[in-house]
């Protein structure tokens, strides 16, 4: 395994050997992990690590955990791709938190929080959730394209498919349901509003 850190931070390594799980499920259902197994390291150098296989036969998985000490986690192609100084971030999904340079964000989903630059303490779950956010903070977007175009919003909560999708700014809004407070492209969707139910306040821009 070849690893490097763009900022030159020192890296630490943790190795784990596990038996293949026998709890097989289908369709993405949860599977319990296999048991951890003791192993003997024969060689551990810049060339790699070599271990002695367990005496019992069977399938195994060997995990390598690498940390730069900044507590960031990225899983998926180009997740946290340009992160240089941010810490305590979690990005799961293709290009999640792609442009991130800030702290304490969680993005789960295809292109979630993609453009986030200075925004912090945001949670985006769903494909495209909070995609355009750059400086907003303390927001929660759950659902496909929830808070999609919100650039600098603060303390907003959007739950549902395209909830607050087009609102570009605003504070302390709550939208729960299909296309809640969806707004109009290029405009905000007001401040301090609460919308619950399908299409509630869908076209609101300033109130």
């Amino acid at each position: 395994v070849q690893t490097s850190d763009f900022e030159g931070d020192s890296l630490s390594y943790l190795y784990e050997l596990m038996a293949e799980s026998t709890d097989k499920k289908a369709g993405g259902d949860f599977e319990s992990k296999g048991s951890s197994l003791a192993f003997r390291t024969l060689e551990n150098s810049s060339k790699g690590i070599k271990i002695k296989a367990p005496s019992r036969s069977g399938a195994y998985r060997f995990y390598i955990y690498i940390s730069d000490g900044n507590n960031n986690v990225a899983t998926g192609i180009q997740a946290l791709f340009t992160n240089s100084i941010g810490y305590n971030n979690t990005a799961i999904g293709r290009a999640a938190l792609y442009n991130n340079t800030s702290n304490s964000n969680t993005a789960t989903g295809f292109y979630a929080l993609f453009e986030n630059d200075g925004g912090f303490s945001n949670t985006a779950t769903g494909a495209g959730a909070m995609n355009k956010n750059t400086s907003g903070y303390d927001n929660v977007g759950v659902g496909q394209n929830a808070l999609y175009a919100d650039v600098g919003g603060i303390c907003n909560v959007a739950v549902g498919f395209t909830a607050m999708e087009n609102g570009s700014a605003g504070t302390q809004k709550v939208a729960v349901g299909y296309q809640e407070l969806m707004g109009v492209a290029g405009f905000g969707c007001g401040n301090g509003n609460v919308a619950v139910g399908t299409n509630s306040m869908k076209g609101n821009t300033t109130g």
Side-chain angles (χ1 to χ4, degrees):
V1 177
Q2 294 182 337
T3 59
S4 62
D5 186 89
F6 290 137
E7 295 78 49
D9 296 332
S10 60
L11 300 175
S12 61
Y13 299 83
L14 177 66
Y15 306 101
E16 184 177 25
L17 180 66
M18 300 184 70
E20 182 68 28
S21 175
T22 58
D23 181 26
K24 300 300 182 183
K25 300 291 177 60
D29 291 340
F30 174 79
E31 296 180 0
S32 58
K33 66 180 183 179
S35 57
S36 293
L37 302 171
F39 63 91
R40 184 160 65 92
T41 301
L42 301 178
E43 178 184 339
N44 188 359
S45 67
S46 59
K47 296 181 180 180
I49 182 171
K50 182 185 296 185
I51 68 171
K52 182 176 176 58
S55 57
R56 75 180 192 186
S57 61
Y60 301 94
R61 297 193 183 203
F62 188 66
Y63 294 88
I64 303 176
Y65 307 99
I66 305 170
S67 174
D68 64 358
N70 291 322
N71 298 321
N72 293 304
V73 175
T75 302
I77 297 173
Q78 296 183 329
L80 269 174
F81 187 74
T82 61
N83 188 74
S84 58
I85 59 175
Y87 55 85
N88 295 338
N89 296 290
T90 300
I92 301 174
R94 183 186 179 106
L97 278 167
Y98 180 94
N99 285 314
N100 186 74
T101 59
S102 193
N103 312 318
S104 303
N105 295 291
T106 299
T108 305
F110 178 81
Y111 278 66
L113 274 168
F114 175 82
E115 295 189 14
N116 191 69
D117 185 0
F120 57 89
S121 299
N122 296 296
T123 299
T125 302
M130 296 191 67
N131 179 276
K132 300 295 184 182
N133 184 76
T134 57
S135 60
Y137 57 88
D138 293 336
N139 297 292
V140 176
V142 179
Q144 182 175 334
N145 287 353
L147 276 168
Y148 178 89
D150 193 276
V151 176
I154 302 169
C155 298
N156 298 299
V157 177
V159 180
F161 175 76
T162 68
M164 282 195 239
E165 179 181 31
N166 289 317
S168 59
T171 63
Q172 299 176 339
K173 303 184 298 287
V174 177
V176 180
Y178 176 79
Q179 294 187 340
E180 300 308 291
L181 267 170
M182 186 175 176
V184 177
F187 295 88
C189 49
N191 298 315
N193 294 306
V194 177
V196 180
T198 300
N199 292 331
S200 295
M201 301 183 71
K202 178 178 179 179
N204 187 74
T205 58
T206 59

